Every structure is written in C-alpha cells, then in structure tokens.
C-alpha cells in the first residue's frame, strides 16, 4: 500500500512560493511560464507546498487520464499548488522517482485510481487525499534495487530527452537547407 511509502504533506504556502500546476506532458510546471498566466486565488497562503521529490496528485481529468495525473516534482525550489491537489512525501527520492515513471503510463494511473473512486453528486469523481494512499503498485523491495531501478529510469529518460533534442536540431537544419534550395 502506498501509505507505507508516502506520507501526506500538509505544509501551507506561508512563504508565498510561485504557483505551479501538474501537466500531463511536462509534470510540475510554473503556471505563468507554462500557461501564460496564473489561475491561482489572490491569496495563496492556503495552497500546499511541494518540495523537490514530492509526489503530486491532481484530480483534474485530462485526455486519456480521466481520474487525474500523478507526477513527481523535479522543481529544485519549493513551489505551491492548489489545495485541491494531494501532495505526498516519499520515504526516499528514489521511491518517488519509480512511482513517477510508473504513473507516466496512463493505463497504470487509471488502474491504480479506478478502485479508489467514490462518485459524488453529478457523477463527479471523489478521491480524498488519504484514500489516494489505499492502493498498491509493484515496487522493488531492497534499497539497492530501488536505487538501481530509479537511476536506470532516470538515465533512460535523459537519453530519450537527448535524442529528442538531436532530432529537433536535425529537423531545424533540414528546414533551413530546404529553404536555401529555393532562394
């Protein structure tokens, strides 16, 4: 059960950290930088603080994730998120990292959340922050294996990002060369 490896964070935004949201494709993002404006309340002191490595669950349905999104925060400094989000500190950064990559797959996310759903009025989906922790996912047991899996997943992600950047550069170069052909 996730309640064995995650604990709910209830720290409030008394320092007025910048407000972030959870994006399917990018993860924890600054609302102003990513969305062009802030959707936050005027006073964000009641927002939750998210620290580097925390797991964040937003109940907002999107695309192929109708029950919400689960992501780890890679933000180096503390940030604030809506009080509607669940914020959880993992027992270790590596455990949180494994959960992050596990929940990148919408099928894993949906299968994890579906049994936890309690339908509310007008068929709204209700999963309390505490109830979110009442299911389990397959995880390595030994500390060494947890660290190894986490590092492997992070390395694979870095390699994918590097290859995507190389592809983008090649596409830009191709576009430039094609434009030069027709001058």
């Amino acid at each position: 059960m996730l309640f064995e490896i995650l604990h709910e964070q209830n720290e409030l935004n008394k320092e007025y950290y910048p407000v972030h949201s959870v994006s399917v494709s990018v993860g924890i993002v600054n609302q102003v930088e990513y969305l062009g404006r802030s959707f936050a309340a005027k006073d964000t002191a009641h927002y939750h603080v998210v620290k580097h490595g925390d797991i964040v669950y937003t109940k907002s349905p999107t695309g192929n994730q109708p029950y919400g999104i689960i992501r780890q925060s890679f933000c180096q400094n503390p940030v604030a998120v809506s009080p509607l989000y669940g914020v959880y500190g993992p027992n270790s950064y590596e455990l949180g990292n494994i959960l992050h990559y596990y929940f990148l797959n919408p099928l894993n996310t949906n299968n994890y959340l579906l049994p936890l759903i309690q339908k509310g009025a007008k068929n709204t989906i209700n999963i309390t922050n505490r109830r979110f922790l009442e299911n389990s996912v397959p995880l390595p047991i030994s500390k060494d294996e947890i660290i190894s899996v986490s590092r492997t997943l992070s390395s694979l992600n870095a390699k994918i990002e590097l290859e995507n950047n190389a592809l983008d550069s090649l596409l830009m170069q191709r576009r430039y060369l094609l434009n030069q052909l027709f001058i």
Side-chain angles (χ1 to χ4, degrees):
M1 297 290 207
L2 283 193
F3 65 78
E4 297 170 5
I5 60 168
L6 295 177
H7 50 279
E8 188 174 358
Q9 305 283 66
N10 291 311
E11 183 181 346
L12 297 180
N13 188 26
K14 293 179 181 163
E15 300 295 321
Y16 289 95
Y17 296 118
V19 177
H20 283 53
S21 291
V22 179
S23 159
V24 173
S25 57
V26 181
I28 313 298
V29 294
N30 183 298
Q31 284 188 352
V32 174
E33 292 173 13
Y34 187 73
L35 302 171
R37 71 182 194 96
S38 177
F39 295 87
K42 288 186 184 206
D43 182 11
T44 60
H46 64 287
Y47 278 38
H48 294 293
V49 172
V50 177
K51 295 181 178 162
H52 182 75
D54 284 349
I55 296 292
V56 180
Y57 168 52
T58 174
K59 301 161 188 145
S60 301
T62 182
N64 59 358
Q65 296 189 257
Y67 311 123
I69 310 164
I70 304 165
R71 295 290 184 268
Q72 184 177 36
S73 174
F74 298 115
C75 300
Q76 294 302 314
N77 297 314
V79 300
V81 295
S82 165
L84 299 175
Y85 290 12
V87 179
Y88 307 92
N91 286 352
S92 72
Y93 176 85
E94 292 81 9
L95 274 171
N97 201 9
I98 292 170
L99 289 174
H100 171 81
Y101 288 109
Y102 179 82
F103 288 123
L104 280 177
N105 181 324
L107 186 59
N108 288 344
T109 303
N110 294 341
N111 286 341
Y112 178 82
L113 294 171
L114 184 62
L116 302 175
I117 291 171
Q118 298 171 329
K119 294 234 177 181
K122 299 182 182 179
N123 280 337
T124 57
I125 297 167
N126 294 322
I127 299 175
T128 64
N129 290 349
R130 174 134 339 269
R131 183 146 171 80
F132 172 79
L133 300 172
E134 294 177 3
N135 204 345
S136 59
V137 299
L139 291 169
I141 296 172
S142 78
K143 185 175 181 177
D144 290 340
E145 191 177 7
I146 289 168
I147 292 169
S148 176
V149 169
S150 174
R151 287 182 180 163
T152 301
L153 291 169
S154 293
S155 294
L156 287 170
N157 190 59
K159 175 71 171 160
I160 290 168
E161 197 172 305
L162 183 67
E163 294 298 331
N164 282 335
N165 289 339
L167 176 61
D168 290 344
S169 293
L170 289 171
L171 289 171
M172 286 174 46
Q173 182 180 17
R174 183 179 118 199
R175 226 174 294 140
Y176 171 78
L177 291 171
L178 283 172
N179 285 337
Q180 297 306 307
L181 268 172
F182 299 106
I183 291 181

